[in-house]
Amino acid sequence: GRQLVAYLRRGLKDTACERAARERGVIVRAMGRLYVASPARSALFMGFGGYPRRMIPPAVAQLAEAF
């Protein structure tokens, strides 16, 4: 599959973005909660491999509206 980590602009919380995306039917994972020793960096983990190509552009549009 294809995966992508998207680092967010300062001021955007990955957990809030994850929640907003989910409310729009798009599943992403907040990366900040995975940090153990280093300072957390706000980012989203996204996977594209399990979806048909035609589903990706509308999901990206929904993700953009989420934040």
Side-chain angles (χ1 to χ4, degrees), residues 14 31-43:
D14 56 3
M31 297 288 294
R33 66 173 65 101
L34 301 177
Y35 284 77
V36 176
S38 302
R41 189 164 173 199
S42 196

Side-chain angles (χ1 to χ4, degrees), residues 47-49 51-62:
F48 301 96
Y51 298 94
R53 285 186 184 183
R54 70 181 189 290
M55 292 181 70
I56 295 172
V60 170
Q62 290 293 323

